[in-house]
């Protein structure tokens, strides 16, 4: 008898526990997905039904939120990380009371949702075009303040959704703004490389001008350089030169040490130059940078069929020209914690050069130069302040 009684008590306990659990579960809101903003207004059928107390005058409320995600993508010649901002409402915690809610309270809540969507669109556009992490932080702070100010204006002017005339007026303005600020396809970020370091290899063609062209032949030089960028300023440390036979067209020039430089001899030339420039135009596919520079040239003369130089000359040179860079590929995504990114470009360099002392004639030489080089930059689009 005791065993039977114990068994009955156990069954009743399980039944009571199951009944309690089902009651508790019935009181919990049904889990629903996040509902993203769309031109179609939120329907009451999407919301939780909640019967609130008589002291709660508000008949409905939307739990508005924002989702942030990053996507690696490529547009044209540029790979970059794009940050998406999406507005939505949490349907699980958004509700309405069928005994208290009316058409106007739903229209008021939709207005709050719409002005949040406008704010999020503006945030996404500005955030992805910012040049630095600091700029992005400032944009988010300002966007939040602007939205809160506008939200408070809506609440005040509609008296928490009770002034129907003001609700209708706001709807006209907000509809117009939603048409003015549609969501657009992601585009490549702005290009303004504040900090970079790179190098290049290539060639340049030198054509003597004026009287120098009568005595000196045109020549093709090899070139290499190191580039450093700080804001829009540009520093270029370059070397160029080569070995040339028959550099002199005619004559037997005398160097400062009395050595005759014959036209059939070999001349080695090496230039080392410091150029300073300023980027005046910076677009997705090209950049334009005028520059001026000063450098040092070094000549060695070898008589025909001799392996050791018989004369050496040194002098100063001056450059004035312009670089046009065609950007072949730009990886704008930070590739490590320091924010390094890579850029591959083709550089067309044209410049006027003046050699303060000529090869062996002790006269200055003007020349026109054009060069084509391939280069790589490591640049820092986040200004070293990724966090």
């Amino acid at each position: 008898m005791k065993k039977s009684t114990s068994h009955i008590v156990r069954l009743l306990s399980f039944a009571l526990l199951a009944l309690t659990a089902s009651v508790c579960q019935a009181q919990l809101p049904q889990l629903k997905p996040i509902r993203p903003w769309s031109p179609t207004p939120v329907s009451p059928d999407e919301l939780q039904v909640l019967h609130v107390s008589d002291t709660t005058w508000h008949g409905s409320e939307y739990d508005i939120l924002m989702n942030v995600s990053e996507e690696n993508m490529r547009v044209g010649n540029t790979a970059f990380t794009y940050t998406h901002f999406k507005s939505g409402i949490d349907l699980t915690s958004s509700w309405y009371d069928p005994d208290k809610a009316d058409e106007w309270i739903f229209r008021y809540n939709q207005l709050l949702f719409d002005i949040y969507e406008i704010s999020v669109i503006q945030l996404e556009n500005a955030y992805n075009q910012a040049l630095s992490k600091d700029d992005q932080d400032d944009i988010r702070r300002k966007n939040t303040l602007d939205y809160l100010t506008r939200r408070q204006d809506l609440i005040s002017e509609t008296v928490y959704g009770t002034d129907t005339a003001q609700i209708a007026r706001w709807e006209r303005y907000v509809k117009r703004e939603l048409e003015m600020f549609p969501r657009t396809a992601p585009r490549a970020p702005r290009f303004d490389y504040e900090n970079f370091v790179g190098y290049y290899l290539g060639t340049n063609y030198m054509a003597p001008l004026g009287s120098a062209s009568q005595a000196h032949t045109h020549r093709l030089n090899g070139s290499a350089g190191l580039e450093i960028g700080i804001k829009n300023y540009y520093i270029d440390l370059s070397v160029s030169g080569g070995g040339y036979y028959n550099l002199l067209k005619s004559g037997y020039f005398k160097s400062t040490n009395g050595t005759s430089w014959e036209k059939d001899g070999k001349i080695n030339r090496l230039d080392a130059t410091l150029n300073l420039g300023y980027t005046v135009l910076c677009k997705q596919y090209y950049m334009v940078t005028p520059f001026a520079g000063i450098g040092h040239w070094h000549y060695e003369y070898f008589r025909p069929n001799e392996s050791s130089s018989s004369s050496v000359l040194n002098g100063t040179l001056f450059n004035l020209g312009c670089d046009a860079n065609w950007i072949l590929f730009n990886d704008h995504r930070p590739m490590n914690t320091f924010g390094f990114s890579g850029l591959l470009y083709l550089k067309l360099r044209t410049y006027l050069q003046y050699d303060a002392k000529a090869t062996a004639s002790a006269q200055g030489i003007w020349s026109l130069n054009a060069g084509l080089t391939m280069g790589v930059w490591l640049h820092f689009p986040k200004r070293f302040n990724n966090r």
Side-chain angles (χ1 to χ4, degrees):
M1 183 68 181
K2 287 184 180 180
K3 238 184 228 187
S4 175
T5 302
S6 176
H7 183 65
I8 292 173
V9 171
R10 190 179 294 112
L11 288 176
L12 290 174
S13 300
F14 280 129
L16 181 60
L17 182 61
L19 179 61
T20 303
S22 63
V23 171
C24 292
Q25 186 174 4
Q27 293 176 348
L28 293 175
Q30 179 185 357
L31 293 178
K32 293 186 177 182
I34 301 299
R35 198 273 202 191
W37 185 93
S38 72
T40 303
V42 178
S43 168
D45 296 336
E46 301 178 71
L47 306 174
Q48 298 283 352
V49 175
L50 182 64
H51 293 278
V52 296
S53 65
D54 292 338
T55 57
T56 304
W57 62 270
H58 209 290
S60 178
E61 187 173 295
Y62 294 175
D63 183 9
I64 304 174
L65 48 79
M66 179 173 63
N67 176 263
V68 183
S69 62
E70 291 186 345
E71 178 185 4
N72 290 329
M73 56 198 324
R74 177 170 175 170
V75 173
N77 66 342
T78 307
F80 58 96
T81 300
Y82 192 84
T83 303
H84 295 279
F85 296 89
K86 302 293 184 183
S87 62
I89 62 171
D90 186 350
L91 296 177
T92 301
S93 53
S94 299
W95 55 272
Y96 82 102
D97 186 339
D99 299 327
K100 293 178 178 293
D102 58 15
E103 173 193 356
W104 290 102
I105 196 62
F106 289 120
R107 290 168 65 173
Y108 166 74
N109 282 338
Q110 185 64 43
L111 275 173
L112 290 173
F113 197 8
D114 289 344
I115 65 171
Y116 191 71
E117 168 68 5
I118 294 171
S119 175
V120 168
I121 292 174
Q122 293 173 330
L123 171 62
E124 181 172 297
N125 292 337
Y127 187 91
N128 285 288
Q129 294 301 306
L131 295 175
S132 73
K133 184 67 169 58
D134 284 344
D135 290 346
Q136 290 174 337
D137 291 342
D138 290 341
I139 287 169
R140 292 197 70 164
R141 281 192 291 268
K142 183 178 184 304
N143 180 269
T144 300
L145 291 175
D146 290 345
Y147 164 71
L148 292 176
T149 300
R150 194 166 192 213
R151 182 179 182 274
Q152 187 57 46
D153 290 342
L154 172 60
I155 293 173
S156 300
E157 292 180 20
T158 63
V159 193
Y160 288 89
T162 59
D163 188 331
T164 58
Q166 288 295 329
I167 291 175
R169 184 179 69 88
W170 271 82
E171 284 178 331
R172 291 193 295 271
Y173 291 147
V174 170
K175 179 181 178 181
R176 190 180 310 154
E177 287 187 40
L178 287 170
E179 294 172 350
M180 291 172 56
F181 300 106
R183 283 197 176 271
T184 56
R187 56 195 175 101
R190 292 170 56 196
F191 293 89
D192 189 3
Y193 302 111
E194 298 254 328
N195 302 284
F196 69 83
V197 60
Y199 57 90
Y200 60 86
L201 293 172
T203 61
N204 71 282
Y205 186 74
M206 179 178 181
L209 301 175
S211 60
S213 64
Q214 304 298 320
H216 299 266
T217 60
H218 298 192
R219 60 179 179 265
L220 189 66
N221 301 318
S223 62
L226 171 68
E227 301 173 305
I228 300 172
I230 303 173
K231 295 187 178 296
N232 288 334
Y233 295 96
Y234 166 87
I235 303 172
D236 169 35
L237 303 171
S238 67
V239 294
S240 64
Y244 316 96
Y245 289 96
N246 300 320
L247 177 63
L248 304 178
K249 288 184 176 179
S250 61
Y252 292 84
F253 298 99
K254 296 287 187 180
S255 69
T256 53
N257 65 355
T259 302
S260 297
W261 290 42
E262 304 173 16
K263 65 178 181 179
D264 294 330
K266 178 186 177 184
I267 295 176
N268 289 344
R269 170 163 176 151
L270 181 66
D271 295 346
T273 310
L274 172 64
N275 296 313
L276 301 178
Y278 186 85
T279 299
V280 296
L281 187 62
C282 185
K283 298 294 184 180
Q284 180 174 350
Y285 290 96
Y286 58 89
M287 297 173 62
V288 177
T289 306
F291 67 87
I294 187 172
H296 178 82
W297 59 257
H298 173 82
Y299 272 121
E300 290 185 340
Y301 170 73
F302 297 81
R303 293 182 181 277
N305 303 319
E306 291 186 5
S307 58
S308 59
S309 62
S310 57
S311 181
V312 174
L313 283 178
N314 295 283
T316 303
L317 61 87
F318 301 93
N319 289 338
L320 182 64
C322 185
D323 284 344
N325 293 342
W326 180 259
I327 301 171
L328 303 177
F329 179 70
N330 175 20
D331 190 346
H332 207 267
R333 300 166 298 178
M335 295 186 291
N336 55 46
T337 56
F338 296 100
F340 296 153
S341 298
L343 181 147
L344 178 67
Y345 68 93
L346 192 65
K347 180 194 299 289
L348 174 63
R349 168 172 290 183
T350 56
Y351 59 99
L352 189 66
Q353 181 172 293
Y354 177 71
D355 291 351
K357 190 161 107 174
T359 306
S361 60
Q363 297 177 359
I365 292 179
W366 287 93
S367 62
L368 184 63
N369 297 260
L372 191 64
T373 59
M374 182 79 73
V376 175
W377 284 354
L378 293 178
H379 59 83
F380 316 99
K382 302 301 182 183
R383 298 183 189 170
F384 299 97
N385 57 5
N386 279 17
R387 292 193 292 271

